[in-house]
Amino acid sequence: MVVNIERLFSKRATRLRSSEIRELLKITQIPGMISFAGGLPNPNAFPVEIIHECIEKVFKTDISNALQYGTTEGLTSLRGVLAQRMRSQKNINCELHNIIMTTGAQQGLSLVALCFIDPGDTYLTSVPTYLGAIQAFNAYEANCESIPMDEEGIDTDSLRRNLERLRRTSILPKFLYAVPNFQNPSGETMPLATRKELLDIASEYDFLIVEDDPYGELVFEGEMIPPIKSFDKRGRVIYLSTFSKILAPGFRLGWVIASKEILDKLILAKQATDLCTNVFSQYVAYEYVNGGYLDRQVTEIKRLYKRKRDIMLDSLKKYFPKSIKWTVPKGGMFIWISLPKSIDTRLMFQKALSKKIAYVVGEAFFPEGGNYNSMRLNFSYSEDDVIPEGIKRLAEVIKEELATSYQQESYVPEGV
Ligand code: PMP
Ligand code: G9A
């Protein structure tokens, strides 16, 4: 008998959607393609020699344990040095029992969803927002309430209005998801006052804040702004970060900082998911942090990415039509482009690919869809000399699209 797999899949599984970004990673392997699509670190930012040294050290000192299963919460020595770093650098009140290692920050998001989302539960996020978070929360059948971003990071008036509306229908959101530093995808940073206000609102309406901070160390300009977690006295904030942008994503190493009460639950969820995070990676990462390599490498990565950001910004100024706006990120890896309303970046995408240039359509970052005239560009991955050429190609595609959309508009009879 033929297996009817569709009938057997869970409702949850049938809701799973493919990520535009993950799919794009395949397209961008086409020879000659210039990709500003995937949020990939630059391979030159991987500290290959240092990693080699750290691995040798692990082989000399503790290889048997490094090859063994580990505890679900993660390697004590690594959690210890990270907790120390979070205290001194971010002013987060973090002891060993407040931190666990995860298989990337992505697993942190997934575990949060597993532990806090029942089918139909609501979470809040500013939009645009990180696509991987939408996927992780959607997998657990969450409803999303999108709050627009503004120059303050999130429109808190709109947030309050939405919370009041939800309250009238007895809907109590479980958490608000935010990427306050050099946000993926907008590149924007949330000011200090908004961070504090968000925590006040969370306390007033009694929901958690999931603060996702993979880019916080990659500051090119200005001071590092303290995370929301640093103001959290009552265990209302779950803070996530990762080695993906400050070491290498292939390590698949992230961490979660939260109250012991929350972490105990996440640990149970993680036990059922993967038993423990890659132990060998954790040993190597410990040598990397403890050996003082991390600070030196972050300085290098920032220098490299700032240069690439500047090249992209200069190229945008040089090649893009005046009607187009973009963000100027003070760190991180992304620039957000807003085009005239007549352009649909989804429809333009195939034309861009035919000119061998790729971006991510803005709509992907809106859980409820819309915003068709935007796109995300990544500046960290491409080589310096490739960036101007890529922007030039993209500008050509946009100019052609603008020309045809104006023509089409002029054909539209009045009153339609
Ligand atoms: N959160 C955000 C905002 C991200 O941009 C990413 C990766 N691009 C992640 C989480 C996941 O990172 P990882 O699992 O590699 O730590
Ligand atoms: O999915 C990945 O490879 C990580 C990148 C995320 C992004 O582009 O936002």
Side-chain angles (χ1 to χ4, degrees):
M1 189 173 165
V2 180
V3 188
N4 182 356
I5 275 297
E6 288 301 322
R7 186 186 68 80
L8 298 172
F9 278 136
S10 67
K11 272 200 229 113
R12 200 177 304 117
T14 54
R15 277 173 64 103
L16 296 174
R17 294 280 167 271
S18 135
S19 146
E20 280 83 345
I21 294 171
R22 303 252 91 223
E23 292 303 316
L24 276 179
L25 288 179
K26 297 170 202 153
I27 291 173
T28 55
Q29 278 152 15
I30 296 169
M33 182 67 72
I34 298 179
S35 175
F36 299 141
L40 303 181
N42 194 290
N44 294 323
F46 301 152
V48 178
E49 297 300 322
I50 295 171
I51 292 171
H52 199 169
E53 274 178 43
C54 293
I55 290 175
E56 277 185 352
K57 185 118 190 252
V58 173
F59 266 86
K60 280 191 197 128
T61 54
D62 223 350
I63 190 61
S64 306
N65 284 326
L67 296 177
Q68 190 53 274
Y69 283 115
T71 59
T72 304
E73 41 272 69
L75 188 64
T76 308
S77 55
L78 177 60
R79 286 158 58 222
V81 288
L82 284 175
Q84 161 62 31
R85 189 176 179 84
M86 294 294 103
R87 284 195 298 269
S88 60
Q89 188 191 61
K90 309 250 178 200
N91 209 19
I92 294 177
N93 184 8
C94 174
E95 300 300 330
L96 203 55
H97 60 261
N98 300 123
I99 181 166
I100 63 166
M101 302 309 299
T102 52
T103 303
Q106 189 66 31
Q107 186 186 44
L109 294 171
S110 188
L111 296 177
V112 165
L114 193 155
C115 291
F116 289 99
I117 298 290
D118 283 319
D121 275 352
T122 297
Y123 75 96
L124 305 151
T125 182
S126 58
V127 283
T129 192
Y130 170 52
L131 178 57
I134 302 175
Q135 270 197 309
F137 304 150
N138 195 40
Y140 289 92
E141 301 170 69
N143 285 336
C144 176
E145 277 289 327
S146 302
I147 314 294
M149 278 185 95
D150 62 8
E151 28 327 311
E152 305 305 323
I154 180 168
D155 179 347
T156 48
D157 290 339
S158 167
L159 173 61
R160 282 179 184 282
R161 275 196 306 277
N162 276 285
L163 284 164
E164 281 304 316
R165 180 178 50 78
L166 291 171
R167 191 180 253 180
R168 283 196 294 277
T169 50
S170 304
I171 294 174
L172 305 172
K174 290 289 181 76
F175 57 78
L176 179 141
Y177 171 74
V179 185
N181 293 315
F182 322 120
Q183 197 234 21
N184 179 2
S186 70
E188 300 278 30
T189 294
M190 186 185 284
L192 182 65
T194 314
R195 298 180 189 215
K196 290 184 174 170
E197 192 183 351
L198 272 191
L199 191 54
D200 288 345
I201 298 175
S203 171
E204 199 181 322
Y205 288 87
D206 197 18
F207 56 81
L208 299 175
I209 293 182
V210 178
E211 181 177 27
D212 190 6
D213 192 23
Y215 307 102
E217 297 230 14
L218 306 183
V219 189
F220 311 153
E221 279 164 29
E223 295 291 303
M224 206 183 256
I225 304 175
I228 307 172
K229 183 69 185 160
S230 66
F231 308 111
D232 177 27
K233 301 277 177 285
R234 308 203 183 278
R236 200 170 276 288
V237 181
I238 302 175
Y239 176 92
L240 303 107
S241 195
T242 177
F243 277 103
S244 287
K245 315 292 154 39
I246 54 174
L247 173 56
F251 271 69
R252 304 311 300 129
L253 265 189
W255 62 94
V256 180
I257 298 175
S259 68
K260 183 169 180 310
E261 211 182 349
I262 291 177
L263 284 189
D264 282 347
K265 204 53 103 180
L266 295 187
I267 290 167
L268 290 183
K270 187 171 159 61
Q271 282 177 6
T273 307
D274 67 353
L275 306 179
C276 62
T277 295
N278 184 321
V279 179
F280 186 73
S281 277
Q282 294 186 67
Y283 270 84
V284 179
Y286 168 72
E287 296 300 338
Y288 179 63
V289 182
N290 196 48
Y293 301 114
L294 172 58
D295 285 320
R296 267 182 274 159
Q297 190 60 23
V298 166
T299 307
E300 283 303 306
I301 298 171
K302 289 196 294 191
R303 209 163 44 84
L304 181 70
Y305 288 3
K306 179 180 184 306
R307 191 176 75 217
K308 290 183 184 296
R309 178 205 63 170
D310 290 343
I311 296 173
M312 188 169 275
L313 289 174
D314 287 347
S315 310
L316 287 169
K317 246 189 250 161
K318 184 166 171 196
Y319 295 113
F320 266 35
K322 295 279 170 289
S323 57
I324 294 171
K325 294 190 168 48
W326 53 87
T327 55
V328 178
K330 295 198 168 85
M333 300 184 359
F334 303 106
I335 294 177
W336 183 255
I337 309 281
S338 301
L339 299 135
K341 285 247 157 42
S342 58
I343 291 201
D344 186 330
T345 53
R346 298 168 306 170
L347 302 179
M348 196 175 76
F349 188 68
Q350 286 307 326
K351 296 175 196 164
L353 283 189
S354 69
K355 285 213 175 351
K356 297 227 159 135
I357 175 74
Y359 56 82
V360 184
V361 299
E363 194 216 1
F365 305 99
F366 289 79
E368 293 155 295
N371 216 277
Y372 304 127
N373 57 322
S374 55
M375 62 169 78
R376 187 194 77 178
L377 302 184
N378 163 271
F379 56 80
S380 59
Y381 179 70
S382 302
E383 290 311 313
D384 291 5
D385 57 339
V386 164
I387 296 174
E389 172 59 23
I391 295 294
K392 192 167 161 221
R393 286 188 202 173
L394 191 52
E396 279 161 18
V397 179
I398 292 172
K399 281 177 193 161
E400 278 171 25
E401 198 71 359
L402 277 173
T404 46
S405 68
Y406 287 147
Q407 264 171 21
Q408 278 166 1
E409 271 171 22
S410 64
Y411 281 116
V412 177
E414 250 182 297
V416 173

